[in-house]
Amino acid sequence: MLFITLFLPTVLLSQDLVFAKDSEWEVVSEGHQFAEGMAWDAEGNFFFTDVPRNQLFRVDKKTGEKTLFDGASGRTNGIAFGPDGRIYGCSSGDQAINAWDLKTGKKTAVNTGTLSNDIAILDDGTIFYTDPNSKLVWRLAAGSFDRNKAATLPWKPNGIALSLDQKTLLVAEFDSDTIHGFPIGEHSKLNGTSFPAYKLGMPSDKLARLDGMVVLADGRLLSGTALGAQIAPPVHAGSGAAPLIIIPSPDGRPRCNYARISPDNQWMYTAYRDDLLRRRLVAGFGQP
């Protein structure tokens, strides 16, 4: 049995804190080898990946029908939409960052030559992505997609996200309790010294497996982890901040790989090895 080691006050799952009364987990998709990255297009259609099977799926907003958008995704992991409306993915099987046109389905490699795990895109089109194998964060310049090393790290980066004002790049140290913040400066380049931005709970083996994450409107962070989904206040919020919330993976599922909130702020989506679930949120969840 794993024992939880925490550095902040902890509150376990409570319906009135996170989920609507009488809500239950619903299966969005099942039968996968490793369900991962999540993103919504401008119309509210939902996309996610199955990494080992090289699959990128689309779930229709109106009907809930799931279709295979690309069956040769290049082992795409994390995905995100760019300001040009294309969906970008970390396709380590292709050693590329790929982009898909939503109308034609055409896949284009915008940069090649590296492995990748998760991706974040600024409003100006600048792309940052993690490369755990090389312990690097890479940057692709807006428009040209020219690549340079944004950060060389002594630890394996995994999940990646942006602060609400897009002035800080957040990078998860996979086998720790820490989400690191990297200031974004002029020309959308990392500028200055990194700092601990969020602290999450760890099991006794200290392998927290910090993965796909997103910043909520109230500044807290939602992240997939070894203990399930976690919601953490910023480190700078101090001792009076809201408590850390741990939402255990339902029914003994393994670690949560990815966690997101739907654009209408009504659902929490979580990805596991075999399936992807959602659950209705309490009204006003995550709002300032």
Side-chain angles (χ1 to χ4, degrees):
M1 178 180 293
L2 294 179
F3 295 91
I4 300 172
T5 303
L6 299 174
F7 298 91
L8 291 170
T10 303
V11 174
L12 295 181
L13 174 61
S14 176
Q15 285 190 335
D16 60 350
L17 290 174
V18 180
F19 297 117
K21 184 179 180 180
D22 298 325
S23 68
E24 299 290 344
W25 289 104
E26 301 178 6
V27 176
V28 177
S29 185
E30 59 187 344
H32 298 289
Q33 286 188 6
F34 199 85
E36 254 282 359
M38 306 180 195
W40 284 262
D41 67 16
E43 297 178 354
N45 300 303
F46 176 61
F47 291 77
F48 71 97
T49 64
D50 185 332
V51 181
R53 288 182 172 161
N54 298 296
Q55 294 173 327
L56 172 63
F57 291 97
R58 176 187 183 274
V59 180
D60 187 88
K61 176 186 178 181
K62 295 180 180 178
T63 67
E65 180 184 3
K66 181 183 71 176
T67 55
L68 183 62
F69 188 77
D70 188 350
S73 72
R75 293 180 63 88
T76 295
N77 196 320
I79 55 176
F81 278 92
D84 59 2
R86 292 192 293 177
I87 188 168
Y88 290 79
C90 293
S91 305
S92 280
D94 292 341
Q95 291 198 21
I97 299 298
N98 286 320
W100 288 264
D101 184 290
L102 292 191
K103 293 182 179 180
T104 66
K106 181 182 178 181
K107 180 178 73 174
T108 302
V110 300
N111 193 279
T112 61
T114 70
L115 300 177
S116 55
N117 182 273
D118 204 1
I119 188 169
I121 306 178
L122 294 174
D123 289 342
D124 67 6
T126 302
I127 294 174
F128 292 97
Y129 66 92
T130 54
D131 179 353
N133 187 66
S134 299
K135 297 182 179 179
L136 292 169
V137 176
W138 294 99
R139 175 185 178 274
L140 303 184
S144 69
F145 301 107
D146 291 338
R147 184 178 72 236
N148 67 279
K149 294 178 182 178
T152 302
L153 306 169
W155 38 265
K156 290 182 179 180
N158 197 295
I160 192 169
L162 294 163
S163 62
L164 296 174
D165 60 9
Q166 298 204 347
K167 293 182 179 180
T168 304
L169 183 71
L170 300 167
V171 182
E173 182 178 348
F174 188 51
D175 291 329
S176 82
D177 64 348
T178 304
I179 308 294
H180 300 264
F182 294 80
I184 301 173
E186 190 176 1
H187 306 302
S188 298
K189 295 182 178 180
L190 300 191
N191 178 29
T193 304
S194 66
F195 59 93
Y198 295 89
K199 290 283 189 178
L200 290 94
M202 291 194 300
S204 59
D205 61 8
K206 298 185 178 180
L207 301 177
R209 302 292 195 247
L210 307 185
D211 211 331
M213 59 189 186
V214 65
V215 178
L216 305 177
D218 62 8
R220 291 181 296 168
L221 184 87
L222 170 66
S223 177
T225 77
L227 296 176
Q230 296 191 45
I231 303 168
V235 168
H236 65 70
S239 58
L244 175 68
I245 297 174
I246 298 176
I247 303 169
S249 299
D251 301 320
R253 285 173 173 80
R255 71 179 178 92
C256 179
N257 305 322
Y258 224 80
R260 285 288 188 271
I261 303 298
S262 62
D264 60 11
N265 205 55
Q266 292 188 20
W267 299 91
M268 178 182 293
Y269 281 68
T270 52
Y272 307 92
R273 182 188 61 209
D274 301 329
D275 55 12
L276 191 148
L277 309 179
R278 72 174 187 172
R279 188 169 178 180
R280 187 172 291 277
L281 296 164
V282 67
F285 170 77
Q287 298 304 301

